[in-house]
Amino acid sequence: MNPIVSKQWLLARQYEPDLVIVDCRFELGRPEAGSTAYDAAHIPGAVYLDLEQDLSAPVTEHGGRHPLPAPDVLAARFARAGIGNATRVVAYDDQGGMYASRLWWLLRWLGHDDVYVMEEGFAAWQAGGYPVTAERRTVVPAAFTPSLRPQLLAGVEDVRRALGDPGVLLVDSRAADRYAGLQEPLDIKAGHIPGAINRFWKQVQGDNGSWKSEGELHEQLAPVITALDEGREAIVYCGSGVSACPNVLALHRLGYTQVKLYAGSWSDWISYPENPIETGGE
């Protein structure tokens, strides 16, 4: 099934007992904004999972700005949110699906496939007259046993080995000016990993926030698809392993399910002073 679902699809199913809706709203630089927005209004029945408190481990010297939690810690957090192995999950945010896609990827990494992202986000849901509430649901904890998929994850050593390897394509998901090193608002060094191509994550969506058609995604991600069709490996990264996830999701939608995420991404790469940096366009 398409990992992107519509507001209408969710409205028709929102009270089904095996479905958990997850509000993933978050704002970089304002870490309390997402939970505050959730407290004010959210989709009825939704639980809230915070990028930094729930979907990331504490920041250390390496691992990037949003390190991956240990699988057992993450599985326990999902279980407390009512997500079990047989649960269907729909995630949403208000930031173009970036944070909802992070949840989608994390669940797939733990072996859970029945997870979807609602397109357009909460503002569109509310503007469309769909129901909202400030009431929190009573969550019944579930049993979640992870079945880890290490093949979906790339670490810094994998990326180092990829440098100069024609069998691996690195894909930078950040905006073009950050890729080129013209500006860097979040990290201490600017530029990109040598040899990476640039495919800005927001370009998988149209101007109205809806995800592009499969044909448009094929065009947007053509170099990546060509590489995968040739049997090459693709490793996708961004600043901290969050905004790369929509590109990974888009490729998954097109049938390319084994794309790797460099979870630490640029903020992890530059934490090693010996790692090379490249600037300029492709």
Side-chain angles (χ1 to χ4, degrees):
M1 179 177 166
N2 187 342
I4 306 297
V5 297
S6 67
K7 302 185 299 295
Q8 295 86 350
W9 186 96
L10 179 56
L11 179 68
R13 295 164 176 83
Q14 68 181 105
Y15 295 111
E16 293 180 357
D18 66 332
L19 182 72
V20 171
I21 305 169
V22 183
D23 188 317
C24 297
R25 284 177 287 175
F26 187 83
E27 291 184 31
L28 290 174
R30 297 180 60 219
E32 75 293 338
S35 59
T36 300
Y38 170 82
D39 288 339
H42 52 264
I43 295 176
V47 298
Y48 182 73
L49 291 178
D50 183 273
L51 172 67
E52 295 185 345
Q53 301 300 317
D54 302 310
L55 306 181
S56 303
V59 175
T60 59
E61 181 182 4
H62 302 300
R65 284 183 280 107
H66 297 108
L68 279 187
D72 58 338
V73 172
L74 186 59
R77 183 65 191 92
F78 287 150
R80 291 196 303 273
I83 298 171
N85 293 97
T87 304
R88 290 179 298 159
V89 180
V90 177
Y92 69 89
D93 59 36
D94 239 351
Q95 289 77 29
M98 176 169 58
Y99 303 113
S101 295
R102 164 84 167 201
L103 177 68
W104 170 87
W105 186 88
L106 289 170
L107 280 164
R108 289 202 66 249
W109 178 52
L110 295 189
H112 190 92
D113 286 322
D114 213 357
V115 54
Y116 310 93
V117 171
M118 186 188 81
E119 69 175 346
E120 297 182 273
F122 179 76
W125 173 279
Q126 191 170 33
Y130 294 85
V132 301
T133 186
E135 295 182 5
R136 290 176 176 259
R137 60 171 285 191
T138 299
V139 178
V140 178
F144 188 98
T145 302
S147 180
L148 200 64
R149 290 173 170 146
Q151 70 272 20
L152 300 184
L153 177 64
V156 65
E157 290 298 335
D158 299 303
V159 179
R160 285 171 176 161
R161 286 191 292 268
L163 298 182
D165 182 349
V168 182
L169 178 65
L170 297 173
V171 183
D172 189 312
S173 302
R174 297 171 300 160
D177 55 354
R178 292 183 68 195
Y179 167 86
L182 299 176
Q183 70 156 340
E184 181 45 67
L186 298 173
D187 294 307
I188 60 173
K189 295 181 182 179
H192 58 267
I193 300 173
I197 68 168
N198 184 216
R199 285 297 179 272
F200 185 31
W201 73 272
K202 284 190 176 181
Q203 292 175 339
V204 300
Q205 299 173 351
D207 293 338
N208 65 348
S210 295
W211 289 65
K212 290 181 176 178
S213 68
E214 290 191 8
E216 291 171 318
L217 290 176
H218 268 283
E219 183 177 350
Q220 163 67 16
L221 298 168
V224 191
I225 291 168
T226 298
L228 292 167
D229 286 342
E230 292 172 349
R232 299 163 66 193
E233 183 178 287
I235 298 176
V236 185
Y237 75 93
C238 55
S240 64
V242 178
S243 64
C245 293
N247 272 338
V248 177
L249 189 153
L251 288 161
H252 180 92
R253 179 182 172 190
L254 297 175
Y256 299 94
T257 60
Q258 298 302 315
V259 174
K260 292 187 176 183
L261 173 72
Y262 175 22
S265 286
W266 180 249
S267 53
D268 177 59
W269 183 257
I270 61 174
S271 71
Y272 299 89
E274 69 273 22
N275 282 347
I277 292 172
E278 196 168 74
T279 58
E282 289 184 21

